[in-house]
Amino acid sequence: AQKVTQAQTEISVVEKEDVTLDCVYETRDTTYYLFWYKQPPSGELVFLIRRNSFDEQNEISGRYSWNFQKSTSSFNFTITASQVVDSAVYFCALSDRAGGTSYGKLTFGQGTILTVHP
Amino acid sequence: NAGVMQNPRHLVRRRGQEARLRCSPMKGHSHVYWYRQLPEEGLKFMVYLQKENIIDESGMPKERFSAEFPKEGPSILRIQQVVRGDSAAYFCASSPLAVSSYEQYFGPGTRLTVT
């Protein structure tokens, strides 16, 4: 069975601090995908990134960066120079490929509540 | 190209009533997933449907819940005789026809409150 663990329930930082959100996953599949979603107070889910299991390159997008380490089954997310607008719940999720045994459905972590104070 | 649409956005029902949640996938998408987010929890998979077929309902409660995705029209998640524990946000996601696709596009969710 697939499992995603986000050990940090809540994180509170002051604006301009860097913050890293941890994500550890478990899967028996050799081909899988990892995702991060943001859920702002308005409630919708905002897609941030998708990474496949064969691509271990780190990725940077503006103030966001992701560190994928297959050896430790981790896919951590760092926000550099955090801003108040980054305050949200962040979810890490795992999926096998569509057509695999779980039809591509997503397994989500419990989420990390990030609060950025001015 | 319109995104995934869900309606209503907010739904209030009294205990024992029925709730019907609708999801219109993106144009050209024939795969729909429903997820439930209980208060202060992550999203949990409920059911995966293709047009006119339920493929995987392993996450759906055995009683009172049903889902359909007819040939024409939106996908419907139906909850009969709602109870307070059904209060949650219900999200649907759609993906394209191709089997190898792995992208899911989420709707804005329906927030169900049972009083």
Side-chain angles (χ1 to χ4, degrees):
Chain A
Q2 299 185 329
K3 185 178 179 182
V4 176
T5 302
Q6 294 179 254
Q8 303 148 311
T9 305
E10 292 191 52
I11 299 177
S12 183
V13 300
V14 177
E15 214 170 13
K16 296 184 184 175
E17 284 185 34
D18 298 348
V19 57
T20 295
L21 284 62
D22 297 333
C23 173
V24 174
Y25 62 91
E26 296 175 30
T27 180
R28 293 179 184 172
D29 296 311
T30 55
T31 302
Y32 52 88
Y33 298 90
L34 294 160
F35 302 77
W36 276 95
Y37 287 89
K38 174 182 179 180
Q39 188 174 42
S42 51
E44 75 273 21
L45 280 171
V46 179
F47 168 81
L48 295 178
I49 190 171
R50 178 188 65 246
R51 170 68 72 218
N52 77 53
S53 52
F54 294 108
D55 183 0
E56 290 193 67
Q57 280 194 341
N58 292 330
E59 181 155 339
I60 297 175
S61 175
R63 295 184 297 107
Y64 295 168
S65 62
W66 290 269
N67 182 296
F68 176 32
Q69 298 217 344
K70 211 168 178 178
S71 59
T72 56
S73 298
S74 65
F75 186 44
N76 297 337
F77 172 34
T78 297
I79 301 174
T80 303
S82 59
Q83 300 175 1
V84 172
V85 293
D86 295 326
S87 296
V89 183
Y90 290 85
F91 292 100
C92 180
L94 168 69
S95 170
D96 77 348
R97 59 180 174 82
T101 56
S102 60
Y103 306 106
K105 68 190 180 196
L106 293 171
T107 299
F108 285 83
Q110 289 290 89
T112 296
I113 302 170
L114 174 65
T115 304
V116 182
H117 298 282
Chain B
N1 188 13
V4 177
M5 298 175 66
Q6 289 187 249
N7 66 79
R9 296 290 305 275
H10 299 275
L11 182 61
V12 179
R13 285 286 178 266
R14 292 196 180 127
R15 278 180 298 171
Q17 291 185 320
E18 178 181 289
R20 292 171 71 87
L21 287 62
R22 294 175 184 76
C23 170
S24 297
M26 289 179 69
K27 188 175 180 181
H29 288 195
S30 59
H31 300 232
V32 167
Y33 303 79
W34 284 93
Y35 296 86
R36 177 166 69 172
Q37 183 179 26
L38 292 168
E40 300 183 13
E41 290 190 15
L43 284 78
K44 296 279 198 299
F45 167 78
M46 297 182 74
V47 60
Y48 163 53
L49 309 101
Q50 295 177 16
K51 283 282 187 182
E52 300 184 275
N53 287 301
I54 297 174
I55 306 301
D56 180 0
E57 55 183 346
S58 59
M60 201 146 73
K62 295 282 186 280
E63 297 179 355
R64 303 186 297 108
F65 285 72
S66 62
E68 63 178 20
F69 189 15
K71 189 176 180 181
E72 302 290 338
S75 175
I76 306 283
L77 179 67
R78 183 181 177 206
I79 311 172
Q80 295 179 290
Q81 299 175 322
V82 296
V83 301
R84 288 224 171 103
D86 297 331
S87 296
Y90 293 82
F91 290 90
C92 82
S94 73
S95 67
L97 177 62
V99 172
S100 61
S101 170
Y102 48 77
E103 298 221 29
Q104 290 185 27
Y105 299 82
F106 279 86
T110 293
R111 274 134 192 96
L112 172 66
T113 302
V114 179
T115 61

